[in-house]
């Protein structure tokens, strides 16, 4: 297995992120789902210069992005957004799109369960037609109940993937599984060969090794189902604003290049903009914890 990391967790030039992870021993990047921010030709040059490959991208389902919205026009623009993400991944030579179908932070449904299910299947099938034609994979990602009411568990994501098509997959995330699964190891086994991406953070969403998750058993279970692809690091540390903070100077009070939308996304995840030193520590801790198991 190889190691990737997301780049949505800190506001900094992409070149800085790529240089950092290359120096630490990562081999892949899962680029944030903001295709409007990237010139893929320029990004590819930077990736190649540091011998880093694009693994894929994760959709940022913010504000009006919702593939199961009651409004048909909203669904259409949401599907187009995911298609734009998929096109970016294709142009960067990546492999997967980690897809959250509904708006992150929306916990109240728009319509009846059967309507929303049908809209989700219909929309993802449009993206699936593109990914199938271009050698990409979709990984439907369950996230916890405090971020969405729709897909929270691996079994639900598996059902949705099966409804979309034989090559539609699932992306599991250890942080969300720790909250929602009765047995995360049984879930990994149930998803089996539909697993196309695997996000890693500890139970507290700190870097792997900074919580109580059993990484040895997690890795053994992945090997048991013959998952040989990429582990994608996605920590999002909770910010301690009290005198008990064990990581002083971890909050970046003057972030550069962080849009209001991105800042809100971080804040909604219990975090904020983090300093470069804190981010580097978390990035290094992640690879140090996981590398012995690869």
């Amino acid at each position: 297995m190889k190691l990737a990391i997301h780049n949505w967790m800190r506001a900094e030039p992409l070149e800085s992120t790529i240089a950092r992870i290359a120096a630490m021993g990562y081999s892949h990047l899962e680029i944030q789902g903001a295709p409007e921010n990237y010139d893929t030709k320029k990004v590819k040059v930077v990736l190649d210069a540091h011998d880093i490959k694009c693994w894929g991208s994760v959709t940022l389902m913010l504000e009006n992005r919702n593939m199961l919205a009651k409004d048909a026009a909203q669904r259409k623009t949401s599907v187009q957004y995911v298609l734009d993400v998929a096109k970016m991944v294709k142009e960067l030579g990546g492999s997967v799109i980690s897809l959250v179908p509904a708006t992150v932070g929306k916990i109240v449904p728009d319509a009846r369960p059967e309507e929303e299910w049908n809209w989700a299947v219909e929309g993802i099938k449009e993206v699936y037609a593109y990914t199938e034609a271009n050698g990409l994979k979709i990984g439907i990602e369950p996230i916890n109940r405090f971020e969405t009411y729709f897909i929270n568990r691996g079994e639900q994501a598996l059902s949705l993937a099966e409804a979309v098509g034989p090559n539609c997959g699932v992306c599991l995330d250890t942080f969300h599984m720790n909250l929602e699964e009765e047995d995360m190891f049984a879930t990994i086994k149930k998803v089996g060969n539909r697993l196309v991406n695997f996000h890693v953070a500890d139970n507290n969403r700190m870097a792997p090794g900074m919580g109580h998750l059993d990484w040895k058993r997690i890795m053994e279970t992945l090997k048991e189902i013959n998952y040989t692809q990429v582990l994608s690091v996605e920590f999002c540390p909770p910010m301690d604003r009290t005198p008990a903070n064990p990581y002083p100077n971890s909050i970046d009070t003057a972030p550069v290049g962080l849009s209001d939308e991105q800042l809100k996304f971080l804040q909604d995840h219990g975090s904020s903009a983090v300093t470069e030193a804190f981010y580097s520590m978390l990035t290094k801790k992640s690879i140090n914890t996981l590398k012995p198991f690869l």
Side-chain angles (χ1 to χ4, degrees):
M1 281 181 270
K2 304 292 186 181
L3 280 181
I5 192 168
H6 293 251
N7 71 306
W8 62 260
M9 297 95 74
R10 173 175 160 74
E12 64 180 5
L14 184 60
E15 293 84 351
S16 299
T17 301
I18 293 171
R20 179 188 297 105
I21 65 174
M24 291 184 182
Y26 288 81
S27 59
H28 290 73
L29 175 77
E30 189 164 358
I31 195 166
Q32 69 171 324
E36 69 280 4
N37 291 346
Y38 301 114
D39 180 326
T40 53
K41 290 181 180 178
K42 292 180 180 179
V43 171
K44 191 68 167 61
V45 169
V46 178
L47 288 170
D48 290 346
H50 290 87
D51 198 25
I52 295 289
K53 295 179 175 62
C54 175
W55 170 230
S57 184
V58 57
T59 58
L60 299 181
M61 302 302 282
L62 307 173
E63 297 185 342
N64 290 323
R65 293 171 186 161
N66 185 6
M67 297 180 79
L68 45 143
K70 192 167 188 175
D71 181 73
Q74 186 179 353
R75 295 199 303 274
K76 182 177 180 180
T77 57
S78 300
V79 169
Q80 185 58 54
Y81 160 71
V82 180
L83 284 168
D84 291 343
V85 171
K87 183 174 182 287
M88 173 181 67
V89 171
K90 171 67 176 176
E91 291 175 355
L92 291 174
S95 300
V96 300
I97 298 96
S98 300
L99 173 59
V100 175
T103 308
V104 175
K106 179 177 171 56
I107 56 174
V108 179
D110 276 0
R112 298 192 308 273
E114 60 272 20
E115 289 179 304
E116 292 189 313
W117 182 264
N118 290 336
W119 290 331
V121 171
E122 180 183 13
I124 297 172
K125 278 186 173 181
E126 287 190 51
V127 180
Y128 182 72
Y130 178 87
T131 57
E132 284 292 281
N134 288 277
L136 305 176
K137 295 288 187 183
I138 297 171
I140 298 169
E141 183 179 3
I143 61 176
N144 72 78
R145 73 192 73 178
F146 305 110
E147 297 184 51
T148 185
Y149 62 87
F150 186 55
I151 299 291
N152 307 122
R153 296 179 287 105
E155 185 175 27
Q156 296 169 320
L158 182 59
S159 293
L160 185 53
E162 290 172 344
V164 170
N167 292 320
C168 189
V170 173
C171 171
L172 294 176
D173 183 305
T174 53
F175 170 75
H176 298 296
M177 283 197 291
N178 181 68
L179 289 172
E180 297 294 347
E181 302 291 349
E182 180 180 352
D183 182 340
M184 73 164 63
F185 307 104
T187 295
I188 293 170
K189 292 176 185 178
K190 185 175 182 65
V191 170
N193 61 12
R194 288 265 186 172
L195 187 66
V196 298
N197 197 11
F198 197 76
H199 291 170
V200 289
D202 226 306
N203 65 287
N204 50 7
R205 214 164 192 183
M206 296 289 276
M210 298 178 74
H212 67 226
L213 293 186
D214 186 343
W215 291 101
K216 181 175 183 293
R217 188 177 176 192
I218 290 169
M219 296 300 292
E220 287 173 348
T221 306
L222 289 173
K223 290 176 181 178
E224 188 176 336
I225 67 165
N226 297 313
Y227 181 78
T228 59
Q229 298 301 312
V230 172
L231 305 179
S232 197
V233 172
E234 193 186 22
F235 53 72
C236 189
M239 293 290 98
D240 188 339
R241 291 172 170 80
T242 76
N245 185 0
Y247 304 104
N249 302 316
S250 56
I251 302 175
D252 188 345
T253 57
V256 176
L258 190 66
S259 69
D260 291 342
E261 181 184 71
Q262 289 170 314
L263 180 59
K264 184 179 186 303
F265 188 72
L266 287 173
Q267 291 171 337
D268 287 347
H269 283 67
S271 186
S272 184
V274 298
T275 60
E276 183 174 4
F278 187 50
Y279 183 71
S280 294
M281 182 276 289
L282 295 167
T283 304
K284 186 66 173 176
K285 177 65 177 177
S286 299
I287 194 169
N288 287 346
T289 297
L290 296 169
K291 197 171 184 178
F293 301 116
L294 300 180

